[in-house]
Amino acid sequence: MNASDKTISARSLFADFTAITKARLAISVVFSSAAGYLLGVSDVYTFSWLTFILLIIGGYCMVGASNVFNQIIEKDLDAKMDRTKNRPVPSGKMSPKTAFWLGAVLTVAGIAILYSINPKTAMFGAISIFLYTSVYTPLKTITPLAVFVGAFPGAIPFMLGWVAATNDFGIEAGTLFLIQFFWQFPHFWAIGWFLFDDYKKAGFFMLPTGKKDKKTALQTILYTIWLILASLLPATGYTGQLHLSWVSAIAVLLLGLWMLVYAVRLYKYMDAASAKKLMLVSVTYISLLQVIYVIDKFIS
């Protein structure tokens, strides 16, 4: 094998690794954990570069492992959908056995790395993998309640950072969990809406009513409102050491109203284009919210 072949092989392996661990999704999840960690540091719980880096690496391993096991379980279903048929396992680029060992290594490494931070962080990381692969994934072809179940592991990363910084799960971590929990519903229902036909090929139930109807759109609006209210809780003074100034609270409110506008647009137009815009806005919303929270902590 010449140097060129080795380069191509390395690129191919890297491409398969990023695809099966869903690198873009994993990075966004790690971003949430990093934000949670920065919110948790204080005069008592000081910032540590080592802990911060371990959280990022361990967090990526845990998310990556969940995605690997998910793709092994759903390999036959993924092969039926246009957006997933070229993933490493359904396309045959990676065997299920190889993928399993990759997932196992990522799981062990992730838990070990997070345990080196503190046992609570490792525990929540392990719970996230279990719920995602053993409960959420099988339920996707059975009931729309899969989204509700999936919201639990999906909400862990934001609060995981706080737990990593403080070794404590209290009202602060619970609030961060609640915010990302409510965010899951409009986000995934929007995805379920504009990918409805593709999901239908695999028999996935992602919308609360199982249909693209007014009831689903209305629930999307209601959960967006719950998200806005949860996001403003730190401004009330009742969330322990997690605070939000009134200036930042206004920014968060405006951000939430921006997302609500797109949820209402989905209810009005009932089309895939509106759902896709809502999905994109929801991703921007949660990222900007976390940035606002972190900035507010260090300037207020």
Side-chain angles (χ1 to χ4, degrees):
M1 181 182 293
N2 58 40
S4 177
D5 291 335
K6 289 180 179 179
T7 300
I8 294 173
S9 179
R11 287 178 179 174
S12 178
L13 287 173
F14 180 74
D16 288 344
F17 177 80
T18 56
I20 200 165
T21 59
K22 297 183 184 178
R24 290 173 61 183
L25 171 62
I27 290 171
S28 69
V29 171
V30 169
F31 180 85
S32 294
S33 295
Y37 178 80
L38 293 175
L39 291 174
V41 298
S42 63
D43 293 336
V44 178
Y45 306 106
T46 56
F47 179 85
S48 166
W49 274 110
L50 177 60
T51 301
F52 188 69
I53 293 171
L54 289 173
L55 176 64
I56 290 173
I57 297 173
Y60 190 98
C61 287
M62 300 300 274
V63 179
S66 297
N67 290 328
V68 170
F69 291 133
N70 169 266
Q71 290 178 60
I72 294 172
I73 295 169
E74 295 182 346
K75 66 181 189 304
D76 294 332
L77 300 179
D78 281 347
K80 298 178 180 180
M81 297 188 291
D82 293 334
R83 75 182 188 89
T84 57
K85 63 185 179 182
N86 292 320
R87 285 175 175 173
V89 177
S91 67
K93 296 176 184 176
M94 184 181 296
S95 70
K97 183 177 180 179
T98 299
F100 174 81
W101 282 112
L102 174 61
V105 169
L106 288 173
T107 299
V108 173
I111 292 176
I113 291 170
L114 295 182
Y115 188 86
S116 70
I117 297 174
N118 61 60
K120 288 188 180 72
T121 303
M123 178 188 71
F124 283 119
I127 289 173
S128 177
I129 289 182
F130 173 77
L131 289 176
Y132 190 86
T133 59
S134 301
V135 186
Y136 164 70
T137 296
L139 284 178
K140 285 168 66 179
T141 57
I142 300 173
T143 173
L145 286 175
V147 174
F148 173 76
V149 174
F152 283 90
I156 286 177
F158 199 13
M159 69 86 163
L160 191 71
W162 185 284
V163 176
T166 66
N167 192 25
D168 180 60
F169 180 85
I171 186 66
E172 301 90 350
T175 301
L176 298 180
F177 177 90
L178 190 67
I179 292 168
Q180 202 148 0
F181 178 80
F182 282 123
W183 173 81
Q184 305 282 320
F185 295 93
H187 174 71
F188 281 105
W189 286 337
I191 294 174
W193 189 295
F194 76 81
L195 290 176
F196 183 83
D197 293 334
D198 213 22
Y199 278 132
K200 189 175 181 180
K201 296 175 184 177
F204 287 146
F205 299 91
M206 300 301 290
L207 299 181
T209 66
K211 298 179 290 184
K212 297 186 290 183
D213 56 15
K214 287 289 186 180
K215 290 182 179 179
T216 288
L218 179 59
Q219 288 193 55
T220 302
I221 292 174
L222 294 176
Y223 274 85
T224 301
I225 293 172
W226 280 115
L227 168 63
I228 295 170
L229 294 175
S231 300
L232 293 172
L233 282 176
T236 65
Y238 291 101
T239 53
Q241 299 303 309
L242 181 64
H243 305 290
L244 192 66
S245 68
W246 68 268
V247 174
S248 293
I250 292 174
V252 168
L253 176 60
L254 292 175
L255 194 62
L257 292 176
W258 176 55
M259 181 169 165
L260 183 60
V261 165
Y262 283 89
V264 173
R265 282 174 62 90
L266 176 59
Y267 183 85
K268 179 180 179 180
Y269 296 110
M270 302 283 290
D271 61 357
S274 297
K276 191 168 187 177
K277 287 179 182 177
L278 175 59
M279 184 275 291
L280 294 172
V281 169
S282 70
V283 172
T284 305
Y285 170 88
I286 197 65
S287 300
L288 289 181
L289 173 111
Q290 290 162 354
V291 169
I292 291 170
Y293 269 43
V294 172
I295 291 176
D296 181 78
K297 174 185 175 65
F298 290 102
I299 68 172
S300 61

